[in-house]
Amino acid sequence: MDLGRVFVAAVVRRPTAPAIVDGDIRRTYRQWFDDATRVAGGMAALGLDHGDHVVCLLKNRYEVTVLYWACQLLGLIYTPLNWRSTGADVAYCLEDANVRAVVYEGSSETAAHEALARHPGAIAIGIADAVQAPVTFASLITSEPLRVFKEIDEHDVCMMLYTSGTTGRPKGVPRSHRNEISAAISLIANNQYGFGEVSLGVMPMYHTMGVRVLLASALLSGIFVCMPRYDTELALRLIQDERVSALFLVPTLFHDMVVHPAIHKYARPALTNLGYAGMTMTDALSEACMKIFQPKRWINYYGSSEIFTFSFCDYLDVKPGCAGHAGFCQELRVVRADPGPDVSPDEVLAPGEVGEIIATLSSPEAFRGYWNQPAADVRAIRNGWYFTGDLGRVDDDGDLWLLGRVDDMIISGGENIHPEEVENILSRCPLVSQVAVVGVDDLRYGTKVIAFVEPTSADASHEALDDFCVASELGRFKRPRGYVFVEQVPKSGVGKILRRELKLGHYKRLSDFKHTD
């Protein structure tokens, strides 16, 4: 089965049920489908055909969801990019994927036109406040509807996500119809979502989490509440007014909610199902979420763009921060950690030992390799296993614990130190709002541990935080050797901490604090 047929099935099942909300826009499944078929018909009239890539530089708005389904009905490859991307980044992706069309809005128009100037063969399609597009979404949505849907094989590529490119250029991750349907079913099963679930569409539609929430919502005849740009108080109000029942966010956004002054201003009448993914969550934040939201289900979901589900944990009240056990149709191992390609999938470590997490590629959710990146395939894929680049260990119960990235591990004075372990301890300190730990070059230690802290109080200092670490269970050799108090820890568009930005000096020091780096 392909995603277009999945959408048709959802429409036939409950045609008059509410499907999507975006501000004043409210559509039933039938209305949503009708818009998608008209846009698909308009795109077909432009000459777009099965297998063509369509880049979308859009926020989470109604139009991007229509384009997503139109691509699936026509057999196009939905290729979303961060709407904040530079023209150079967009141009690279246009060339890499031989893109046939680019859809953009006002916020991404400059970058889109810069990229299109280098790739003039692509069709430019503008939405809403885009003013220089030869083709508009408004014209597409009044086109003659697509009447005959393409015959699509479940192994055909339906979407390509570009990784964040923490080192070098981003890598394209092709995803098949089979991959996507399997991933959505796993999300539903592992998070125990129910029929008619109301989900807040906060995670961007260029991110694996955002797309999966949209698809899972349709599978369940649920309601997808669009949020074009994240604002904490608006999110809290939408949870109340739209009776949102499920949140699937990165930890950063949960942090912003629990510390927001308006957290108790708005009711949460239907909110029962909370999940997080994308990065680890500190114990302190996990406990705060459980106390404030009191969810029936509280899930840690571990996966990637390449394989959506690695593992999940639904007993965070017992094991805060635990990544749990492998997901459906998945097998995980922890092997010797080495950034080179020489480690075998059979070099499995004993429980308690720290190594690299690898996942089987036999899962129906697994990709088959990067787009035009054979060297990346050699590094990441070996003998049917995907090497995640994540550090972890398995405890005596067989549960997985994440300890950061292989390339983030700090070797200081000959000792291995995992930044997320130190961050987890410091996050419990009442003087700390957010923290990121990195290693910097040092003549004595080789690399020394530095903590970058967003303080909650003027009382925060190196001495106070060091005393807190000494009194904790953190090994003394793992304590930060220096502290920098910053206005904001740098994060990606989806809320992940960007340690590389700290190493490059891209942060603003707070002038009223003593820094000891």
Side-chain angles (χ1 to χ4, degrees), residues 35-87:
D35 283 350
T37 57
R38 283 191 287 268
V39 170
M43 295 171 85
L46 292 172
L48 296 173
D49 201 359
H50 181 269
D52 288 341
H53 284 262
V54 176
V55 157
C56 294
L57 291 159
L58 304 171
K59 299 172 187 171
N60 281 20
R61 55 194 305 158
Y62 177 65
E63 292 91 339
V64 75
T65 70
V66 173
L67 281 160
Y68 171 81
W69 289 122
C71 285
Q72 307 314 325
L73 294 169
L74 196 54
L76 306 176
I77 301 174
Y78 171 75
T79 307
L81 300 178
N82 189 332
W83 55 270
R84 303 179 185 87
S85 297
T86 66

Side-chain angles (χ1 to χ4, degrees), residues 251-514:
T252 303
L253 301 188
F254 276 117
H255 170 272
D256 291 349
M257 285 186 181
V258 299
V259 302
H260 198 278
I263 183 63
H264 298 297
K265 177 180 176 182
Y266 299 96
R268 298 177 287 275
L271 189 61
T272 57
N273 202 323
L274 270 62
Y276 70 89
M279 57 189 288
T280 58
M281 180 179 283
T282 64
D283 292 354
L285 179 55
S286 181
E287 290 162 5
C289 287
M290 284 190 286
K291 180 179 179 181
I292 290 173
F293 292 111
Q294 298 183 356
K296 289 184 179 178
R297 287 174 291 278
W298 179 222
I299 312 289
N300 177 9
Y301 211 95
Y302 170 45
S304 71
S305 298
E306 293 82 354
I307 305 175
F308 180 64
T309 308
F310 293 147
S311 70
F312 71 99
C313 182
D314 56 3
Y315 37 89
L316 296 172
D317 54 331
V318 178
K319 289 186 172 182
C322 181
H325 40 265
F328 297 119
C329 305
Q330 185 53 269
E331 181 185 352
L332 301 175
R333 295 177 181 176
V334 176
V335 300
R336 179 170 61 86
D338 189 318
D342 300 325
V343 177
S344 163
D346 297 324
E347 295 184 55
V348 181
L349 301 180
E353 293 187 73
V354 175
E356 183 173 0
I357 301 164
I358 64 173
T360 179
L361 286 167
S362 61
S363 164
E365 301 178 45
F367 82 142
R368 290 293 172 262
Y370 293 105
W371 183 268
N372 295 335
Q373 293 270 2
D377 288 343
V378 170
R379 288 192 297 271
I381 298 173
R382 286 167 237 167
N383 301 326
W385 290 82
Y386 172 67
F387 282 65
T388 66
D390 293 325
L391 285 172
R393 63 176 176 84
V394 174
D395 65 21
D396 291 336
D397 298 324
D399 287 329
L400 182 67
W401 296 81
L402 301 182
L403 295 167
R405 297 287 294 171
V406 172
D407 50 10
D408 282 339
M409 185 172 70
I410 301 167
I411 302 176
S412 182
E415 300 282 2
N416 293 343
I417 300 170
H418 306 294
E420 293 186 9
E421 181 183 5
V422 183
E423 291 164 359
N424 190 42
I425 294 296
L426 283 169
S427 71
R428 301 177 194 167
C429 179
L431 298 174
V432 174
S433 174
Q434 294 205 62
V435 59
V437 169
V438 302
V440 300
D441 292 340
D442 183 76
L443 289 175
R444 183 182 180 197
Y445 294 101
T447 305
K448 68 177 179 179
V449 180
I450 301 294
F452 292 81
V453 174
E454 290 181 28
T456 61
S457 160
D459 295 330
S461 66
H462 180 124
E463 293 76 18
L465 297 180
D466 191 57
D467 287 346
F468 185 86
C469 289
V470 169
S472 74
E473 66 269 28
L474 186 70
R476 292 203 170 203
F477 69 91
K478 299 178 181 179
R479 289 158 34 231
R481 301 290 174 177
Y483 288 88
V484 179
F485 298 94
V486 297
E487 189 174 283
Q488 188 173 44
V489 172
K491 302 181 187 73
S492 71
V494 295
K496 289 186 178 182
I497 291 174
L498 297 176
R499 300 181 204 279
R500 68 180 183 275
E501 295 297 304
L502 293 170
K503 291 181 179 181
L504 291 170
H506 297 164
Y507 56 86
K508 185 175 181 181
R509 294 174 182 246
L510 294 173
S511 59
D512 295 336
F513 290 80
K514 180 182 178 182

Side-chain angles (χ1 to χ4, degrees), residues 154-182:
E154 67 174 8
H155 297 289
D156 288 350
V157 176
C158 66
M159 177 174 72
M160 191 155 83
L161 298 172
Y162 274 91
T163 63
S164 57
T166 53
T167 55
R169 289 291 191 181
K171 300 186 291 291
V173 180
R175 303 282 302 169
S176 71
H177 291 266
R178 182 172 184 257
N179 291 158
E180 287 302 285
I181 294 169
S182 300

